[in-house]
PDB file of all heavy atoms in Angstrom:
ATOM      1  N   HIS A 305      46.915 -17.468   9.340  1.00 96.00           N
ATOM      2  CA  HIS A 305      45.924 -16.912  10.268  1.00 96.00           C
ATOM      3  C   HIS A 305      45.002 -17.955  10.902  1.00 96.00           C
ATOM      4  O   HIS A 305      43.944 -17.611  11.435  1.00 96.00           O
ATOM      5  CB  HIS A 305      45.068 -15.843   9.565  1.00 96.00           C
ATOM      6  CG  HIS A 305      44.468 -16.324   8.272  1.00 96.00           C
ATOM      7  ND1 HIS A 305      45.052 -16.092   7.048  1.00 96.00           N
ATOM      8  CD2 HIS A 305      43.345 -17.032   8.013  1.00 96.00           C
ATOM      9  CE1 HIS A 305      44.309 -16.627   6.092  1.00 96.00           C
ATOM     10  NE2 HIS A 305      43.271 -17.204   6.657  1.00 96.00           N
ATOM     11  N   GLY A 306      45.400 -19.226  10.849  1.00 96.00           N
ATOM     12  CA  GLY A 306      44.586 -20.265  11.479  1.00 96.00           C
ATOM     13  C   GLY A 306      44.569 -20.112  12.997  1.00 96.00           C
ATOM     14  O   GLY A 306      45.612 -19.934  13.615  1.00 96.00           O
ATOM     15  N   GLN A 307      43.381 -20.197  13.582  1.00 96.00           N
ATOM     16  CA  GLN A 307      43.231 -20.090  15.036  1.00 96.00           C
ATOM     17  C   GLN A 307      43.029 -21.494  15.612  1.00 96.00           C
ATOM     18  O   GLN A 307      41.924 -22.039  15.561  1.00 96.00           O
ATOM     19  CB  GLN A 307      42.037 -19.189  15.381  1.00 96.00           C
ATOM     20  CG  GLN A 307      42.165 -17.763  14.888  1.00 96.00           C
ATOM     21  CD  GLN A 307      43.270 -16.992  15.594  1.00 96.00           C
ATOM     22  OE1 GLN A 307      43.384 -17.021  16.805  1.00 96.00           O
ATOM     23  NE2 GLN A 307      44.102 -16.308  14.810  1.00 96.00           N
ATOM     24  N   ILE A 308      44.094 -22.055  16.138  1.00 97.00           N
ATOM     25  CA  ILE A 308      44.023 -23.409  16.700  1.00 97.00           C
ATOM     26  C   ILE A 308      43.736 -23.282  18.192  1.00 97.00           C
ATOM     27  O   ILE A 308      44.543 -22.754  18.953  1.00 97.00           O
ATOM     28  CB  ILE A 308      45.338 -24.185  16.457  1.00 97.00           C
ATOM     29  CG1 ILE A 308      45.741 -24.132  14.978  1.00 97.00           C
ATOM     30  CG2 ILE A 308      45.193 -25.622  16.953  1.00 97.00           C
ATOM     31  CD1 ILE A 308      44.712 -24.675  14.010  1.00 97.00           C
ATOM     32  N   THR A 309      42.552 -23.749  18.606  1.00 95.00           N
ATOM     33  CA  THR A 309      42.091 -23.547  19.985  1.00 95.00           C
ATOM     34  C   THR A 309      41.973 -24.856  20.758  1.00 95.00           C
ATOM     35  O   THR A 309      41.278 -24.924  21.767  1.00 95.00           O
ATOM     36  CB  THR A 309      40.732 -22.836  19.975  1.00 95.00           C
ATOM     37  OG1 THR A 309      39.799 -23.626  19.210  1.00 95.00           O
ATOM     38  CG2 THR A 309      40.837 -21.450  19.366  1.00 95.00           C
ATOM     39  N   GLY A 310      42.642 -25.903  20.262  1.00 97.00           N
ATOM     40  CA  GLY A 310      42.542 -27.205  20.923  1.00 97.00           C
ATOM     41  C   GLY A 310      41.554 -28.102  20.207  1.00 97.00           C
ATOM     42  O   GLY A 310      41.178 -27.865  19.055  1.00 97.00           O
ATOM     43  N   ASP A 311      41.125 -29.143  20.889  1.00 98.00           N
ATOM     44  CA  ASP A 311      40.210 -30.143  20.345  1.00 98.00           C
ATOM     45  C   ASP A 311      38.856 -29.487  20.047  1.00 98.00           C
ATOM     46  O   ASP A 311      38.198 -28.959  20.942  1.00 98.00           O
ATOM     47  CB  ASP A 311      40.050 -31.272  21.371  1.00 98.00           C
ATOM     48  CG  ASP A 311      39.231 -32.453  20.871  1.00 98.00           C
ATOM     49  OD1 ASP A 311      38.428 -32.274  19.938  1.00 98.00           O
ATOM     50  OD2 ASP A 311      39.401 -33.554  21.428  1.00 98.00           O
ATOM     51  N   THR A 312      38.455 -29.503  18.766  1.00 98.00           N
ATOM     52  CA  THR A 312      37.170 -28.907  18.375  1.00 98.00           C
ATOM     53  C   THR A 312      36.167 -29.967  17.906  1.00 98.00           C
ATOM     54  O   THR A 312      35.170 -29.650  17.248  1.00 98.00           O
ATOM     55  CB  THR A 312      37.379 -27.856  17.257  1.00 98.00           C
ATOM     56  OG1 THR A 312      38.184 -28.444  16.209  1.00 98.00           O
ATOM     57  CG2 THR A 312      38.064 -26.613  17.783  1.00 98.00           C
ATOM     58  N   ILE A 313      36.429 -31.231  18.246  1.00 98.00           N
ATOM     59  CA  ILE A 313      35.521 -32.322  17.867  1.00 98.00           C
ATOM     60  C   ILE A 313      34.879 -32.975  19.088  1.00 98.00           C
ATOM     61  O   ILE A 313      33.653 -33.117  19.152  1.00 98.00           O
ATOM     62  CB  ILE A 313      36.258 -33.384  17.020  1.00 98.00           C
ATOM     63  CG1 ILE A 313      36.688 -32.791  15.669  1.00 98.00           C
ATOM     64  CG2 ILE A 313      35.366 -34.611  16.809  1.00 98.00           C
ATOM     65  CD1 ILE A 313      37.398 -33.764  14.747  1.00 98.00           C
ATOM     66  N   SER A 314      35.704 -33.382  20.061  1.00 96.00           N
ATOM     67  CA  SER A 314      35.167 -34.052  21.245  1.00 96.00           C
ATOM     68  C   SER A 314      34.137 -33.164  21.937  1.00 96.00           C
ATOM     69  O   SER A 314      34.342 -31.961  22.083  1.00 96.00           O
ATOM     70  CB  SER A 314      36.301 -34.377  22.222  1.00 96.00           C
ATOM     71  OG  SER A 314      37.267 -35.208  21.591  1.00 96.00           O
ATOM     72  N   GLY A 315      33.010 -33.771  22.308  1.00 96.00           N
ATOM     73  CA  GLY A 315      31.965 -33.017  22.994  1.00 96.00           C
ATOM     74  C   GLY A 315      30.983 -32.320  22.076  1.00 96.00           C
ATOM     75  O   GLY A 315      30.073 -31.624  22.548  1.00 96.00           O
ATOM     76  N   THR A 316      31.164 -32.489  20.745  1.00 98.00           N
ATOM     77  CA  THR A 316      30.268 -31.798  19.790  1.00 98.00           C
ATOM     78  C   THR A 316      29.213 -32.729  19.194  1.00 98.00           C
ATOM     79  O   THR A 316      28.441 -32.315  18.342  1.00 98.00           O
ATOM     80  CB  THR A 316      31.088 -31.211  18.615  1.00 98.00           C
ATOM     81  OG1 THR A 316      31.674 -32.294  17.868  1.00 98.00           O
ATOM     82  CG2 THR A 316      32.181 -30.282  19.105  1.00 98.00           C
ATOM     83  N   TYR A 317      29.186 -33.982  19.620  1.00 98.00           N
ATOM     84  CA  TYR A 317      28.399 -34.986  18.896  1.00 98.00           C
ATOM     85  C   TYR A 317      26.892 -34.733  18.965  1.00 98.00           C
ATOM     86  O   TYR A 317      26.176 -34.938  17.975  1.00 98.00           O
ATOM     87  CB  TYR A 317      28.724 -36.392  19.411  1.00 98.00           C
ATOM     88  CG  TYR A 317      30.210 -36.696  19.421  1.00 98.00           C
ATOM     89  CD1 TYR A 317      30.807 -37.385  20.475  1.00 98.00           C
ATOM     90  CD2 TYR A 317      31.032 -36.276  18.367  1.00 98.00           C
ATOM     91  CE1 TYR A 317      32.175 -37.661  20.472  1.00 98.00           C
ATOM     92  CE2 TYR A 317      32.391 -36.542  18.364  1.00 98.00           C
ATOM     93  CZ  TYR A 317      32.959 -37.230  19.427  1.00 98.00           C
ATOM     94  OH  TYR A 317      34.314 -37.496  19.430  1.00 98.00           O
ATOM     95  N   GLU A 318      26.412 -34.279  20.100  1.00 98.00           N
ATOM     96  CA  GLU A 318      24.972 -34.028  20.233  1.00 98.00           C
ATOM     97  C   GLU A 318      24.526 -32.917  19.282  1.00 98.00           C
ATOM     98  O   GLU A 318      23.510 -33.041  18.587  1.00 98.00           O
ATOM     99  CB  GLU A 318      24.659 -33.643  21.691  1.00 98.00           C
ATOM    100  CG  GLU A 318      23.184 -33.687  22.023  1.00 98.00           C
ATOM    101  CD  GLU A 318      22.909 -33.423  23.501  1.00 98.00           C
ATOM    102  OE1 GLU A 318      23.737 -33.805  24.350  1.00 98.00           O
ATOM    103  OE2 GLU A 318      21.854 -32.820  23.782  1.00 98.00           O
ATOM    104  N   GLN A 319      25.320 -31.837  19.227  1.00 98.00           N
ATOM    105  CA  GLN A 319      25.000 -30.731  18.307  1.00 98.00           C
ATOM    106  C   GLN A 319      25.131 -31.170  16.856  1.00 98.00           C
ATOM    107  O   GLN A 319      24.323 -30.784  16.004  1.00 98.00           O
ATOM    108  CB  GLN A 319      25.922 -29.543  18.584  1.00 98.00           C
ATOM    109  CG  GLN A 319      25.612 -28.309  17.733  1.00 98.00           C
ATOM    110  CD  GLN A 319      24.212 -27.767  17.975  1.00 98.00           C
ATOM    111  OE1 GLN A 319      23.824 -27.518  19.112  1.00 98.00           O
ATOM    112  NE2 GLN A 319      23.425 -27.610  16.912  1.00 98.00           N
ATOM    113  N   ALA A 320      26.142 -31.982  16.571  1.00 98.00           N
ATOM    114  CA  ALA A 320      26.352 -32.468  15.201  1.00 98.00           C
ATOM    115  C   ALA A 320      25.150 -33.290  14.739  1.00 98.00           C
ATOM    116  O   ALA A 320      24.658 -33.114  13.611  1.00 98.00           O
ATOM    117  CB  ALA A 320      27.621 -33.304  15.135  1.00 98.00           C
ATOM    118  N   ARG A 321      24.665 -34.164  15.616  1.00 98.00           N
ATOM    119  CA  ARG A 321      23.490 -34.981  15.270  1.00 98.00           C
ATOM    120  C   ARG A 321      22.269 -34.087  15.072  1.00 98.00           C
ATOM    121  O   ARG A 321      21.475 -34.293  14.135  1.00 98.00           O
ATOM    122  CB  ARG A 321      23.257 -36.016  16.381  1.00 98.00           C
ATOM    123  CG  ARG A 321      22.002 -36.869  16.238  1.00 98.00           C
ATOM    124  CD  ARG A 321      21.867 -37.530  14.893  1.00 98.00           C
ATOM    125  NE  ARG A 321      22.947 -38.458  14.599  1.00 98.00           N
ATOM    126  CZ  ARG A 321      23.206 -38.920  13.383  1.00 98.00           C
ATOM    127  NH1 ARG A 321      22.465 -38.507  12.343  1.00 98.00           N
ATOM    128  NH2 ARG A 321      24.188 -39.767  13.172  1.00 98.00           N
ATOM    129  N   ALA A 322      22.130 -33.078  15.927  1.00 98.00           N
ATOM    130  CA  ALA A 322      20.988 -32.156  15.810  1.00 98.00           C
ATOM    131  C   ALA A 322      21.036 -31.390  14.485  1.00 98.00           C
ATOM    132  O   ALA A 322      19.994 -31.168  13.845  1.00 98.00           O
ATOM    133  CB  ALA A 322      20.990 -31.181  16.992  1.00 98.00           C
ATOM    134  N   ASP A 323      22.246 -30.992  14.057  1.00 98.00           N
ATOM    135  CA  ASP A 323      22.379 -30.266  12.789  1.00 98.00           C
ATOM    136  C   ASP A 323      21.961 -31.138  11.602  1.00 98.00           C
ATOM    137  O   ASP A 323      21.252 -30.680  10.700  1.00 98.00           O
ATOM    138  CB  ASP A 323      23.816 -29.773  12.610  1.00 98.00           C
ATOM    139  CG  ASP A 323      24.160 -28.601  13.522  1.00 98.00           C
ATOM    140  OD1 ASP A 323      23.222 -27.949  14.029  1.00 98.00           O
ATOM    141  OD2 ASP A 323      25.361 -28.344  13.730  1.00 98.00           O
TER     142      ASP A 323
END
Side-chain angles (χ1 to χ4, degrees):
H305 52 264
Q307 298 293 313
I308 309 302
T309 58
D311 186 337
T312 50
I313 294 181
S314 301
T316 65
Y317 308 139
E318 194 175 327
Q319 183 61 52
R321 175 52 62 196
D323 287 342

